[in-house]
Structure formats: C-alpha cells, structure tokens
Amino acid sequence: MTGAERDTGYGGDNGLADGLDRLWTPHRMTYISGEDRPEGGYEKPTGCPFCLAPGLPAEESLVVARGEHVFAVLNLYPYNPGHLLVCPYRHVADYTELDEPETVELAAFTKAAMRVVRHVSSAHGFNLGMNQGGVAGAGIAAHLHQHVVPRWGGDANFMPVIGRTKVLPQLLADTRELLAKAWAAA
C-alpha cells in the first residue's frame, strides 16, 4: 500500500498523501447535522432532552445524580471526559427564571459536581458556564443548563487546536458509572 492509499483509504491515483492519521468520531455527525433534533425543536418539553432524561433509566439517560429541583447529567457531546450539565427539572430558558430553591440547588450541584469529578479523575481545574440564548452558543437554548467541564494541564493539545478533534479516552457509560458511585458516596 502506498502512502496515499494508507492516508486516504483509497487506492489508485488520488493525489498526494497529507500525512495525517484519522481518528473517526462518527457519533458527532448526529450533533453536527442536527438529525437527532425533534421535529418541533427543543422549545416544548415533549421534545427537550433535558425534560426527557430524568424519566429514563440512568444508564440510558446518562443522569449521574438527582436532587429535588435539579439533576446532573453527562453531556452527550462532551468537551472532556466528565463534562456534566446541571439542569433544573423545570423547563426554563433563562437563569433569571429560576426560583430561589432551584438557584440554590443548582449552585450546590455545581459544587458537588466539581468535588466528584476531582475525586474520580483528579481534574486540575474547571470551566463553568451557561450559554443564555442561541446567539450566545446554547445548543438547547430552551432549557437552562450549567456546564461543568473538567480541565487538566495540557488537555488542549494539538488534536483540538490543529486537528479539530477531541480525544475522549473513556466511554460515556463508564464515566457515568464512576461519577454516579462517587456522587452517592460524597
């Protein structure tokens, strides 16, 4: 096999090899193409994955912990292993729409998420944030969610910077199991 055949996966006269290896992440195409979006969008609770997740079995929903007003769920398209979302059960879009008990529990769950992820994976730091509205980058703007993204020294290596690919060394089901066990013990 020539270098061109090895690098592109095709035989014959197909141009010069680029010398790059390929790390295929086909699960991301669903997110990129939007084919997993419900027909009516996320505006109504019936099509909102954050409204549906708490009713599913934990292993299927990726819910890690449940509170009275909020829950923690793994991001289906994580930036890093252990990327959690803290969501109110109530379908609200804006942080200012939360009532006091929801606000307090959201903050407590965010702190707990940080402690649990540090315990399980020795995260060096975190990015915390909410994207309020589609123009601010919210993929599901209709249902508020707080991102808790663990970070490690050197985790923004050449793959996302140059290769526009994120390497995730752990399956979501395995991450969920580790975090759920640690959360219960915390």
Side-chain angles (χ1 to χ4, degrees), residues 66-141:
R66 299 166 192 266
E68 185 177 344
H69 304 286
V70 304
F71 63 98
V73 61
L74 283 172
N75 189 328
L76 188 56
Y77 304 104
Y79 298 135
N80 273 341
H83 179 172
L84 290 167
L85 304 172
V86 180
C87 307
Y89 290 109
R90 196 163 58 94
H91 188 82
V92 297
D94 197 84
Y95 185 68
T96 62
E97 295 177 45
L98 293 179
D99 63 26
E100 190 66 21
E102 290 168 328
T103 303
V104 169
E105 194 172 58
L106 187 129
F109 259 59
T110 300
K111 288 169 63 174
M114 292 173 65
R115 284 193 298 272
V116 167
V117 172
R118 272 194 191 114
H119 173 76
V120 168
S121 63
S122 302
H124 299 150
F126 291 87
N127 291 116
L128 304 175
M130 294 181 207
N131 300 324
Q132 294 285 266
V135 298
I140 301 176

Side-chain angles (χ1 to χ4, degrees), residues 25-33 76-79 168:
T25 56
H27 67 282
R28 300 262 321 148
M29 267 325 282
T30 301
Y31 176 73
I32 293 165
S33 69
L76 188 56
Y77 304 104
Y79 298 135
L168 298 167

